[in-house]
Amino acid sequence: MARIVGGIGTSHVPAIGAALDNGISGNDYWSPLFAGYARARRWIDACKPDVVIIVYNDHASAFSLELIPTFALGVAETFAPADEGFGPRQVPVAQGHPELAWHLAENLILNEFDMTIANVMPVDHGLTVPLSIMFDQPAAWPVQVIPLCVNVIQYPPPTGKRCLALGRAIASIVASFEQDLRVVVFGTGGMSHQLQGERAGVINQAFDKAFLDRLADDPDGLAEIGHVEYIREAGSEGVELVMWLAMRGALGERAKEVYRHYHVPASNTAAGLVILEPV
Ligand code: DHB
Ligand code: FE
C-alpha cells in the first residue's frame, strides 16, 4: 500500500530559484540559507520517496485572474514550468502520477472536497522552487509529482482549518492506494512576508517561530488562525502558511519534527523549512 513517510513545509521565494539558476547560491547573501538546506537534502535522499504531493499556490501563472479554483489537483502525465515573465525556469518538466492523482480526485470529491481537476497546469515558483531546494538542479526530478494548487491570491482563500481537513483526507486516501509507494507531502509558501502596500517587507519572527513550534503538536490550534490574523501578524502574503497545515494534516494524528531551518531575510521574506515525520 502507499504510505506517507514525511512532510516538508518550505518557503518558495522565487529569488531562491534564481540564485540556483544563476549560480550564485554560494555568495555571501545566499550561502547561510543554502547551508541550512544541506541537511534537508540528506534527509530526502535517505527517505527516497517515489511520489511527492506538493500543496502550493499559483501566482496568476497557470490561472489568470479570470478563473481561480480554490483547490486544483493535477492529474496529468507531466507538468511544465510556467513562464512567469522571464521565460520558464530551466528546470525539469515534472512527471506526474496520474493513477494516484485520480485516486485522490475520486475519493476527495466523493468525500465532499470539491477539487477542480487540472489536466494541464503549468507550475510556477510555488512548486518548482521547493523542488530545487530539496533536489538542487538535476537533469530530471527524482520523484513523480502531484501538484495540488490552493488559491491564496484572490479573496476569499480557504481557511487553515479547511486545509488541515484536506490534508487529513489525503492521508487516508493515500493509505487506501494499492501500489507500494513512499509518499512525501510538501506545503509551500510563507513564512511572514508582504510584497505590496505600506507594510511591504514586513517580517514577524516571533509569529513564524511560534508557528513552527506548534506545527507538529498543535495543528488544530494553528488552524484557528483566521485570515485577518495572518495579514496582521504575518503580512498579506503570510496567508500562504495555510498550505503548511494541509501538509501537517496529511501526516496523521501525531507527527514529530526532525529538522528545522529558519533564516531572515530571503528576498522579502523570512524563509522557513521544516521536516516532519509521522509518529
Ligand atoms: C516573494 C515571495 C513569495 O512567496 C512569492 O510568491 C513571490 C515573491 C519574495 O520574497 O520576493
Ligand atoms: Fe508565494
Side-chain angles (χ1 to χ4, degrees), residues 73 75 100-110 113 115 117 173:
L73 183 68
V75 297
L100 179 55
W102 276 110
H103 179 74
L104 282 163
E106 178 178 14
N107 287 283
L108 284 169
I109 292 167
L110 298 184
F113 287 90
M115 316 302 286
I117 292 167
I173 295 167

Side-chain angles (χ1 to χ4, degrees), residues 102-183:
W102 276 110
H103 179 74
L104 282 163
E106 178 178 14
N107 287 283
L108 284 169
I109 292 167
L110 298 184
N111 284 297
E112 291 143 26
F113 287 90
D114 304 318
M115 316 302 286
T116 295
I117 292 167
N119 287 306
V120 177
M121 188 161 65
V123 286
D124 75 6
H125 65 271
L127 183 137
T128 65
V129 167
L131 286 173
S132 297
I133 287 171
M134 295 308 291
F135 298 115
D136 205 353
Q137 303 291 74
W141 300 124
V143 288
Q144 287 165 289
V145 177
I146 298 177
L148 198 171
C149 180
V150 180
N151 166 43
V152 295
I153 64 168
Q154 165 78 64
Y155 184 84
T159 60
K161 204 168 182 172
R162 190 64 176 154
C163 291
L164 181 64
L166 174 63
R168 287 177 173 153
I170 288 170
S172 58
I173 295 167
V174 168
S176 70
F177 189 66
E178 73 286 358
Q179 285 179 34
D180 280 331
L181 293 175
R182 294 171 65 77
V183 179

Side-chain angles (χ1 to χ4, degrees), residues 50 67 89 99 145:
D50 301 294
L67 182 67
R89 285 188 69 208
E99 280 176 281
V145 177

Side-chain angles (χ1 to χ4, degrees), residues 129-278:
V129 167
L131 286 173
S132 297
I133 287 171
M134 295 308 291
F135 298 115
D136 205 353
Q137 303 291 74
W141 300 124
V143 288
Q144 287 165 289
V145 177
I146 298 177
L148 198 171
C149 180
V150 180
N151 166 43
V152 295
I153 64 168
Q154 165 78 64
Y155 184 84
T159 60
K161 204 168 182 172
R162 190 64 176 154
C163 291
L164 181 64
L166 174 63
R168 287 177 173 153
I170 288 170
S172 58
I173 295 167
V174 168
S176 70
F177 189 66
E178 73 286 358
Q179 285 179 34
D180 280 331
L181 293 175
R182 294 171 65 77
V183 179
V184 165
V185 179
F186 285 46
T188 90
M191 299 196 80
S192 56
H193 65 302
Q194 174 151 342
L195 304 175
Q196 60 202 313
E198 276 177 30
R199 296 171 75 223
V202 74
I203 284 176
N204 183 345
Q205 299 198 37
F207 176 89
D208 291 337
K209 287 176 180 163
F211 189 95
L212 292 168
D213 287 343
R214 294 168 67 191
L215 189 58
D217 294 333
D218 186 23
D220 289 287
L222 287 179
E224 295 298 327
I225 299 174
H227 294 134
V228 172
E229 188 175 348
Y230 276 115
I231 292 168
R232 188 178 61 232
E233 298 298 326
S236 55
E237 276 66 50
V239 71
E240 289 183 343
L241 284 169
V242 293
M243 292 169 293
W244 293 42
L245 290 173
M247 174 278 284
R248 172 62 190 87
L251 296 178
E253 198 174 326
R254 293 188 55 225
K256 65 169 194 260
E257 179 181 312
V258 296
Y259 183 57
R260 179 193 297 196
H261 178 49
Y262 182 75
H263 177 79
V264 177
S267 181
N268 301 292
T269 81
L273 180 144
V274 69
I275 299 178
L276 304 179
E277 290 178 359

